[in-house]
Amino acid sequence: MASSFNFVVDRVVHDKIYPHLAAWSAEPYTPEWRQFGSKWPYTTPLRIQEYCKLHQVPINTYSVEDFPDGSFYPIAIGFFDFTIDYFGLLPTAVHAAVASNRLKILFFYHEGDNPYRIKERLDALALAHSLDSTCYVFVSSNSAAQNIPGFVAFQDSELWYYQRNHDNLPLQIHREPRERDFTALARTHKWWRAIALTDLCTQGLLDNSYWSYCETATDTNVEDCPIEVDYLKLKEHTLAFVAGGPYISDELTQDERNDHSLNPEPKYFMGSYCNIVLESQFDYDQSGGILLSEKTFKPIKHGQMFFIAGGQGSLQVLRDMGYRTFDHVLDNQYDCESNNTMRWIKLRKAIAQAHAQGLSKLFKQCLEDIEYNQHLFMRLKTSRLNTLIEQINEQHR
């Protein structure tokens, strides 16, 4: 049986909760509705409302004049700006209800910024407004949030990609030989990704693979990244790699590559054995936590084994979510390495080892887990949302 959210809302427009604190004006179901995240103060429509509708979890809405105990005033943030006084933007009646401990603020943030720094900022703002530091609960996609009082960790992108790509069936997991070894895609430029792809290309590991690097760079600050390029002796190679780009492996536009409602390019998932996921970050703001983006959930939905080039503990978070990470076949010790450069070196060695062993053979050994992951991803996420509600309510007490 589903739990439910109790939300105090300013207004509802065409069945959508209007973004709280927003200065931008837009109507639901218009292109402008998607622009809140780029407009000060960067509060956005509630993704959680879409998730709850799709996964059959009730949301009860109330006015600030009349609401039950255990209610929240939800604020979704597209970009956490440390210069913004979020409590100072609250409507007067909402501020009064929060100050009297009858109502709590519930922040939803789908990015991976350091939650320790966010807590420090919000606590200082609360103090400035004579509010208790327990006046809010913060839901973060950074896994380190689970260690912070008043914070809840929630891997938002699992439900976001499920929702955005919901109209598309998962690709078939076939047992026929595949023409390529790996898929390794980088849509946007980041120097650590450039170093990673340079290293893999230099080692010859992508000679028979689908790979891309779709942007060039306007700077040469290759040292400004979590992987120490000088330690790897790849600085000149990496600069030359980026200067020679972009490297394109399909006929899509950048907008199409970033539109996750579209059918994925089948060859990337059905034409190679293993996905080398180049995640959003390799180090999440020195937080010790990680975020899993749609980049990880694509090969899960569409039937591949995978490595994750991301923060320490990425695979462990997936295991905690119930997914299988092919530990009986792939060398996943890299996921435990805290040093960023050494984690990449261990990951590259694991990729090379899998390549040498024969990816076709390894794929067959992982097939049961690949199918399990796909089935798990495609299930309704009602239980995931119920757990989130329970964790939020625990912070409310």
Side-chain angles (χ1 to χ4, degrees):
M1 180 178 179
S3 302
S4 62
F5 283 105
N6 290 333
F7 286 163
V8 169
V9 302
D10 295 339
R11 59 185 171 128
V12 176
V13 182
H14 301 314
D15 75 15
K16 302 292 186 184
I17 298 171
Y18 201 84
H20 289 155
L21 313 187
W24 176 247
S25 179
E27 291 286 316
Y29 310 106
T30 66
E32 290 76 18
W33 187 252
R34 293 184 175 273
Q35 296 178 25
F36 281 95
S38 62
K39 308 293 184 180
W40 187 94
Y42 317 114
T43 59
T44 66
L46 287 168
R47 287 184 175 189
I48 200 72
Q49 186 180 15
E50 304 297 329
Y51 304 158
C52 288
K53 180 179 179 180
L54 187 58
H55 299 284
Q56 303 171 12
V57 173
I59 291 181
N60 307 309
T61 58
Y62 304 91
S63 71
V64 71
E65 289 79 21
D66 185 20
F67 58 88
D69 292 340
S71 296
F72 292 91
Y73 184 78
I75 300 173
I77 300 175
F79 162 65
F80 190 92
D81 187 331
F82 282 78
T83 69
I84 292 175
D85 181 355
Y86 294 98
F87 299 120
L89 296 177
L90 293 174
T92 301
V94 172
H95 189 284
V98 172
S100 62
N101 295 318
R102 294 185 297 115
L103 179 66
K104 284 203 175 188
I105 307 299
L106 179 58
F107 291 101
F108 288 101
Y109 192 38
H110 62 267
E111 298 291 351
D113 308 26
N114 191 321
Y116 294 98
R117 295 172 184 165
I118 290 174
K119 177 174 173 56
E120 182 179 353
R121 172 59 176 163
L122 289 177
D123 285 356
L125 289 173
L127 180 63
H129 287 275
S130 301
L131 298 173
D132 195 273
S133 62
T134 63
C135 72
Y136 69 90
V137 175
F138 196 101
V139 178
S140 167
S141 285
N142 188 313
S143 63
Q146 66 188 346
N147 303 316
I148 304 175
F151 278 59
V152 175
F154 180 68
Q155 293 300 320
D156 181 275
S157 288
E158 180 195 30
L159 278 79
W160 183 80
Y161 185 61
Y162 184 107
Q163 185 259 339
R164 287 290 290 155
N165 202 245
H166 185 249
D167 291 338
N168 302 313
L169 294 174
L171 295 174
Q172 180 185 6
I173 303 172
H174 67 85
R175 291 160 174 76
E176 300 301 317
R178 303 184 174 211
E179 61 268 22
R180 301 296 175 92
D181 297 326
F182 298 104
T183 293
L185 306 175
R187 180 177 59 86
T188 58
H189 165 70
K190 292 180 180 177
W191 279 114
W192 74 264
R193 290 176 177 163
I195 293 169
L197 283 177
T198 299
D199 201 1
L200 294 174
C201 288
T202 301
Q203 300 288 331
L205 293 171
L206 299 182
D207 288 351
N208 183 44
S209 295
Y210 294 118
W211 66 272
S212 66
Y213 199 84
C214 298
E215 286 185 349
T216 55
T218 57
D219 68 90
T220 57
N221 299 326
V222 64
E223 295 96 344
D224 186 21
C225 78
I227 300 175
E228 297 178 49
V229 68
D230 290 332
Y231 185 87
L232 298 175
K233 297 181 172 58
L234 286 175
K235 180 177 179 178
E236 298 306 319
H237 289 85
T238 303
L239 291 170
F241 171 86
V242 172
Y247 305 94
I248 308 297
S249 57
D250 54 46
E251 297 181 357
L252 302 174
T253 66
Q254 279 289 70
D255 286 341
E256 288 171 334
R257 294 186 188 102
N258 196 39
D259 187 345
H260 305 299
S261 68
L262 299 177
N263 277 310
E265 186 72 28
K267 68 180 182 181
Y268 292 145
F269 303 96
M270 300 179 71
S272 75
Y273 292 104
C274 183
N275 202 301
I276 302 170
V277 178
L278 299 168
E279 256 300 351
S280 296
Q281 303 291 341
F282 204 70
D283 181 293
Y284 285 87
D285 206 12
Q286 296 80 55
S287 65
I290 67 97
L291 173 150
L292 299 172
S293 75
E294 82 289 339
K295 301 172 190 65
T296 290
F297 294 106
K298 283 183 177 181
I300 287 176
K301 175 175 180 176
H302 299 298
Q304 280 179 310
M305 58 183 181
F306 51 82
F307 293 99
I308 299 180
Q312 177 196 5
S314 296
L315 295 180
Q316 186 57 54
V317 168
L318 275 179
R319 295 185 196 106
D320 293 343
M321 296 172 71
Y323 291 103
R324 297 177 182 175
T325 55
F326 324 115
D327 304 312
H328 64 296
V329 174
L330 304 180
D331 181 2
N332 286 329
Q333 296 181 65
Y334 69 89
D335 192 55
C336 301
E337 176 58 58
S338 60
N339 180 278
N340 293 321
T341 303
M342 294 308 299
R343 184 166 66 260
W344 167 251
I345 291 172
K346 290 182 178 181
L347 173 53
R348 186 238 296 150
K349 289 180 178 178
I351 293 169
Q353 177 179 309
H355 185 265
Q357 291 175 335
L359 290 164
S360 175
K361 180 183 69 173
L362 300 187
F363 186 88
K364 292 175 183 176
Q365 294 174 2
C366 291
L367 187 56
E368 181 180 342
D369 287 353
I370 292 169
E371 292 174 337
Y372 175 89
N373 284 345
Q374 186 181 71
H375 293 155
L376 177 60
F377 180 84
M378 294 305 298
R379 287 167 48 186
L380 283 178
K381 301 294 185 286
T382 308
S383 61
R384 198 81 85 197
L385 289 166
N386 284 342
T387 298
L388 174 63
I389 292 170
E390 291 170 5
Q391 292 174 333
I392 290 171
N393 287 336
E394 286 175 5
Q395 298 296 335
H396 190 287
R397 299 187 183 102

